[in-house]
Amino acid sequence: MKILPLARVQFGAMVVLALLTLSACALLAGLPRLVQGSFDANLHQSLRAAMASQVDLAVRVESRSRQEDLREPSQFAARDQRFRSILPAALRPVVGPVGTGTGHMSAKTWGTPVQGSGGMTFVNLGWLSDAERRVRWSEGRAPGAPGTMTYQGATITVFEAAVVEEARDKMGLRVGDVRVLGESDHVAVRIVGLFAPKDPADRYWSHHPDVLRVTEVQPPGKLDLERHTTALLSDGGLTALSGEGRNLVYSWVLPVDPAAPTSLGVPDVTRAITAYGRVVGLQPGGGSQYRLETGLPQLLNGYLAALSTARTVMFLVLGGLLAVAVGVIVLAVHLLADRADEALALARARGGSLRQVAGAGTALVALAVVPATLAGYALSWLVPGPVLPLVHAGPALVCGAAVGFAAVRMALAHRAPLRERRDDVAASRPSARRVTLEVLVVGLALGGAYLLRTRGLAAGTAGDDPFLLLVPIALTVAAALITIRCYPYPLRLFVRLAARGPRAVPFLGLTRAARARSGSVLPVLILLPALAVSVFASVIAGGIAETQRLASWQDVGASLRVSSPIELPADAVARVRAVPGVELVVPAQTASVQLGFGGERADVIAVDLGQWRRVLDGAPISVPAMPAAGAGVPALVSPELRGRGTMDVGWQTRVKVAERGVVPSVPGFFARGKFLVVPYEINERPTANTLLIKGDADAEAVARAVGRPRAQVSSQAESLAAIESAPLTGTVRVVLLVTTVALAAYALVAVVVTLVIGAADRARALAFLRPLGLTERQAQGLTVLEILPMILVTALVGLALGLGLPAALGPGVDLSAYAGGVAVAGYSPGLATPALLAAGLAVVAVLGAYAHTAISRRRAPGAALRAGELA
């Protein structure tokens, strides 16, 4: 049987099928790549934001004797090469080459006290393999080879070293000073230079915060602070640095490229790190054992845990798109098969075998579907992102479903030549087995939703809990079954009411709608998942947008916030108040204070909470009012400090504060840990180092008004823009928008195709009624009343299901990864999108009804009726 002549006759239906297939394949193959690409980009961004000391792989070993000492840089380089040679295959693409990124080698002492300081001053000695290209000498010169001196009758080594500029200011270490180190095994250090980092923001320095700044620690039971710094040695100094008599650690840092790991490869990388740690521990190292130190597995696993539910919800939306797209394409195949049935039946009656006839019909569908599938698959490669199995499986499933449905339908429709089919025979009642199965599906769906809400996610499964995948599907199927079974009953009530009226059109239209068999309404039920998923996507998008705004306010704590490590003078505060757009400025003071007389410390903010509440007027966050004062200074404390009553706080002076309430967090300042909120006047001389600003002033103008280079200005608008511009956040908005639009379009196409599929039967009914006096207006009303109830019922059920899915999924929907780390706690769905979707469906149904009656009006009754049916 020739296919091309049949394809020319059915060209319009084939074009519709091809366009639907093309769009579905492009979306189903492109969107997963876009989503997975955003997952990878967000992973890379989180690794770049983390400290290099957490991300990189650091191999360390202690030297405890001269036999274990490394005296030459070449010895470090040889072991670095050994550590790289034993890297597992999964880690080799992740670790950068030698000399790149943050990779380096080092040797540092720790706990090295300055003689005569009473154990309150420590100067450690350190060698960095790449110090020359990391620091600049601001005073003095670079260190040279060590020398010797006599101390307490013994000859000791004198190391030439350089210290950071801050050590000069806080520890009094100046160029030319000589300090003796150690309590028993003495050495001396001569300060020959001061240095500053060439790039203080370089991630490299997170490996050596002790080199870059002075560390201050308050020992328990003491009011004075211990001060620690690490002085840099030259390669010559390394030759005299020994672990005998002091604490000495060698380190080899293998740099991890933050852009190398992928979210799909995280499990392999974490397993490889564990295996690498075991292998490193087996390397020969004298009397000490090598150990691997890295926070990368915790970072990767924490990222996946935060992303798992959000990933599942995204692919749940894409799964709904797949189901709806396949359903609409099957409808289009149904339309093409109906139009080609007459020609195929004639070929079958003329002696064509079932294989020939069914094969011809299947080939006709394949002629439209296969090229469109390949074209859509090819278009998806224009979307950047990794290739997932779903990229290949989606188009293949669409093509297979279309061709497979065509083959089965053709084989069943043409089992026998000229097989007579009667559409006016009453449908059989559903069997008890079928009813039992449907009741079981509904019960399981409701039970699954209840369990998901009450028990939450299964422990250790996060977003991979099967309940989170199966419950939405089960709820959609249950809603579809209930709609199929229940929608005729309210219609029959309206039929009874219409039967009492004087007009026949409402009675006839509603009667035809109520008597529609289950099989005839199945195509329309494609609207249910389409509407449910599209409304669900719009509700999720709205919830994410609201939470992003909330997260930005929680991050800053005001419209603008000025933070300074030193006191802000009164004239700077006055200049800020004069900046255009500034409505209100509330000064505050933050500090780390001593609790009691031991080493326990807590963060504190002194602020007028009443004024701060005015700053937050109209914002989605607020702060509590300060309770009335009683004995002592009133304070709001964190949950960690709950129940302590009155506390002695060491700040500018010793102050007794009394607990007056508990706050879980302070917007813009504290989210966890030990902290207090006290009145601004707690100190004798209130000094502001923080300003909380209300208004829409420009952040740069505020920074210029402050006039302090170390002061930082944070803006709620900029924080919101940063959250919205994150790769993951931007992608989820695009995916949800595209999915909503695509599902709405598929729903409208389903309505049109359904109208066209039922056109022949509808034309036949109108052909019977027109000779009895049915007018054109009545024909249009009859058609609308026949198709509109099912569409409206399905639309309402789909809208209700979409609005209820977030609440039904309950704790399974955790979208904090898309909202700046803040949990999307509430969904307040707007009615704009649901109303537009329902109105669009109704308008398309009405327009289709009018178009159908206009077309059928031009057809003669003999075109729709068979011989003898008018007799």
Side-chain angles (χ1 to χ4, degrees):
M1 186 175 179
K2 295 183 179 180
I3 304 301
L4 292 180
L6 187 60
R8 284 196 298 269
V9 174
Q10 307 299 336
F11 182 74
M14 292 188 65
V15 169
V16 171
L17 178 58
L19 290 176
L20 289 174
T21 305
L22 174 67
S23 63
C25 292
L27 289 173
L28 295 173
L31 289 180
R33 297 186 63 178
L34 183 66
V35 171
Q36 193 62 43
S38 72
F39 292 163
D40 291 349
N42 201 67
L43 173 61
H44 301 158
Q45 187 181 63
S46 65
L47 292 181
R48 291 190 187 98
M51 294 187 297
S53 58
Q54 293 179 287
V55 177
D56 294 338
L57 307 179
V59 179
R60 307 192 195 280
V61 68
E62 293 186 18
S63 175
R64 297 181 179 141
S65 65
R66 294 187 180 276
Q67 291 74 22
E68 300 175 19
D69 290 341
L70 301 180
R71 302 301 181 93
E72 299 292 337
S74 59
Q75 294 177 289
F76 281 86
R79 299 199 185 189
D80 180 77
Q81 185 62 35
R82 185 207 306 175
F83 296 140
R84 289 176 176 274
S85 66
I86 60 175
L87 280 170
L91 287 181
R92 290 176 183 172
V94 174
V95 174
V98 178
T100 62
T102 56
H104 65 284
M105 298 162 285
S106 67
K108 289 195 297 186
T109 66
W110 56 275
T112 310
V114 175
Q115 182 70 22
S117 67
M120 300 299 291
T121 303
F122 294 80
V123 177
N124 300 308
L125 305 176
W127 169 81
L128 303 180
S129 61
D130 54 355
E132 295 81 2
R133 65 186 182 93
R134 300 287 185 181
V135 302
R136 57 179 176 82
W137 308 107
S138 57
E139 185 179 340
R141 60 177 175 84
T148 59
M149 65 177 284
T150 301
Y151 179 74
Q152 294 182 352
T155 301
I156 62 173
T157 302
V158 180
F159 291 95
E160 288 193 353
V163 294
V164 70
E165 294 173 342
E166 188 179 14
R168 174 194 58 194
D169 304 328
K170 290 187 175 182
M171 302 177 67
L173 299 176
R174 293 175 173 81
V175 175
D177 287 353
V178 177
R179 303 292 172 92
V180 177
L181 309 179
E183 297 293 346
S184 56
D185 189 353
H186 299 103
V187 296
V189 58
R190 177 179 290 113
I191 308 300
V192 298
L194 300 179
F195 69 86
K198 291 183 178 179
D199 182 7
D202 192 343
R203 299 176 69 247
Y204 169 91
W205 290 111
S206 67
H207 287 286
H208 305 289
D210 55 323
V211 175
L212 200 59
R213 64 185 61 92
V214 175
T215 304
E216 296 179 327
V217 180
Q218 185 171 33
K222 295 184 179 181
L223 296 179
D224 295 332
L225 297 176
E226 283 183 4
R227 291 183 172 86
H228 300 247
T229 191
T230 298
L232 290 182
L233 305 179
S234 65
D235 291 351
L238 179 64
T239 61
L241 192 62
S242 174
E244 187 176 53
R246 57 188 39 83
N247 304 312
L248 177 61
V249 176
Y250 299 136
S251 300
W252 292 262
V253 175
L254 307 182
V256 172
D257 183 3
T262 63
S263 55
L264 293 177
V266 163
D268 294 335
V269 171
T270 53
R271 285 193 295 268
I273 291 175
T274 302
Y276 184 56
R278 290 195 297 265
V279 175
V280 164
L282 298 176
Q283 297 302 304
S288 301
Q289 184 181 25
Y290 290 99
R291 64 185 186 275
L292 177 66
E293 296 181 4
T294 179
L296 185 58
Q298 291 77 11
L299 289 174
L300 296 178
N301 292 329
Y303 168 80
L304 287 186
L307 189 65
S308 57
T309 300
R311 179 183 58 201
T312 302
V313 171
M314 285 306 304
F315 282 103
L316 181 63
V317 171
L318 294 178
L321 177 62
L322 172 62
V324 172
V326 170
V328 174
I329 289 172
V330 167
L331 270 183
V333 172
H334 193 304
L335 173 63
L336 179 59
D338 279 356
R339 290 179 172 271
D341 266 350
E342 185 177 351
L344 296 175
L346 182 60
R348 181 78 166 113
R350 289 179 175 177
S353 66
L354 179 60
R355 181 178 59 83
Q356 290 175 324
V357 174
T362 305
L364 182 67
V365 173
L367 185 62
V369 169
V370 174
T373 299
L374 296 176
Y377 179 73
L379 285 175
S380 71
W381 286 87
L382 298 177
V383 179
V387 180
L388 303 174
L390 185 59
V391 173
H392 310 301
L397 181 59
V398 169
C399 183
V403 176
F405 174 77
V408 172
R409 188 195 179 283
M410 297 296 179
L412 294 176
H414 301 285
R415 291 193 302 270
L418 295 179
R419 180 171 175 264
E420 183 70 15
R421 295 185 299 274
R422 297 291 303 274
D423 295 329
D424 55 347
V425 177
S428 60
R429 297 173 63 86
S431 64
R433 181 180 302 175
R434 180 173 177 179
V435 172
T436 303
L437 180 61
E438 292 176 355
V439 171
L440 179 63
V441 170
V442 174
L444 289 176
L446 297 178
Y450 174 77
L451 287 176
L452 184 61
R453 284 196 57 80
T454 54
R455 75 174 179 89
L457 297 175
T461 61
D464 298 324
D465 191 335
F467 264 58
L468 190 57
L469 294 171
L470 297 178
V471 167
I473 298 174
L475 287 174
T476 304
V477 174
L481 292 175
I482 293 174
T483 304
I484 291 174
R485 293 301 173 201
C486 296
Y487 94 95
Y489 298 107
L491 282 182
R492 290 173 185 175
L493 177 61
F494 286 105
V495 168
R496 291 186 179 183
L497 295 176
R500 298 179 180 180
R503 298 181 179 179
V505 170
F507 172 74
L508 292 174
L510 293 175
T511 299
R512 286 181 57 82
R515 291 182 178 179
R517 296 176 300 165
S518 298
S520 63
V521 300
L522 283 175
V524 183
L525 290 181
I526 294 174
L527 302 176
L528 195 147
L531 284 171
V533 175
S534 60
V535 173
F536 174 71
S538 66
V539 170
I540 290 293
I544 290 175
E546 288 296 322
T547 309
Q548 287 173 347
R549 182 170 175 265
L550 174 64
S552 66
W553 278 96
Q554 289 184 351
D555 179 54
V556 180
S559 300
L560 293 167
R561 186 187 73 219
V562 178
S563 303
S564 173
I566 58 176
E567 177 185 348
L568 294 173
D571 59 339
V573 178
R575 289 194 302 269
V576 171
R577 287 194 170 99
V579 173
V582 172
E583 301 177 16
L584 178 64
V585 177
V586 177
Q589 186 176 11
T590 61
S592 175
V593 298
Q594 182 185 25
L595 295 181
F597 295 90
E600 185 180 15
R601 303 191 69 82
D603 295 315
V604 65
I605 177 172
V607 63
D608 185 337
L609 288 176
Q611 291 292 93
W612 194 1
R613 289 166 66 88
R614 290 180 57 195
V615 171
L616 297 176
D617 185 27
I621 61 172
S622 184
V623 292
M626 181 64 73
V633 177
L636 301 176
V637 302
S638 64
E640 286 83 350
L641 298 178
R642 183 199 307 265
R644 297 201 182 185
T646 302
M647 292 176 285
D648 193 290
V649 172
W651 196 350
Q652 296 178 3
T653 58
R654 306 298 301 188
V655 181
K656 290 187 178 295
V657 300
E659 177 185 337
R660 292 288 186 268
V662 178
V663 287
S665 62
V666 179
F669 295 92
F670 317 124
R672 62 184 64 86
K674 299 176 181 179
F675 58 83
L676 304 95
V677 183
V678 296
Y680 183 64
E681 299 81 9
I682 185 174
N683 291 310
E684 295 180 1
R685 189 180 69 87
T687 57
N689 59 9
T690 302
L691 301 179
L692 302 170
I693 303 171
K694 179 181 181 181
D696 56 356
D698 181 66
E700 295 183 359
V702 172
R704 289 193 297 270
V706 173
R708 294 292 185 272
R710 298 178 64 184
Q712 295 183 347
V713 179
S714 304
S715 166
Q716 179 269 331
E718 293 178 357
S719 176
L720 178 59
I723 295 173
E724 292 177 339
S725 62
L728 193 61
T729 305
T731 300
V732 71
R733 292 169 57 194
V734 171
V735 170
L736 291 176
L737 176 62
V738 170
T739 303
T740 302
V741 173
L743 289 172
Y746 282 141
L748 298 180
V749 170
V751 173
V752 174
V753 173
T754 302
L755 286 170
V756 176
I757 289 176
D761 178 68
R762 203 170 297 110
R764 183 166 173 267
L766 293 177
F768 272 113
L769 295 174
R770 279 201 176 96
L772 300 177
L774 186 72
T775 65
E776 184 63 30
R777 182 181 295 275
Q778 290 175 328
Q780 293 171 345
L782 179 64
T783 306
V784 171
L785 287 174
E786 179 186 348
I787 64 173
L788 197 56
M790 186 61 210
I791 291 176
L792 290 180
V793 170
T794 307
L796 291 175
V797 174
L799 292 175
L801 182 61
L803 294 174
L805 270 179
L809 296 180
V813 182
D814 179 11
L815 300 173
S816 58
Y818 300 137
V822 178
V824 184
Y827 300 93
S828 53
L831 298 179
T833 300
L836 287 175
L837 292 173
L841 289 175
V843 168
V844 169
V846 172
L847 293 178
Y850 277 85
H852 166 71
T853 53
I855 294 173
S856 61
R857 179 180 56 184
R858 298 192 297 266
R859 300 178 64 187
L865 302 178
R866 294 176 295 179
E869 286 186 329
L870 289 177

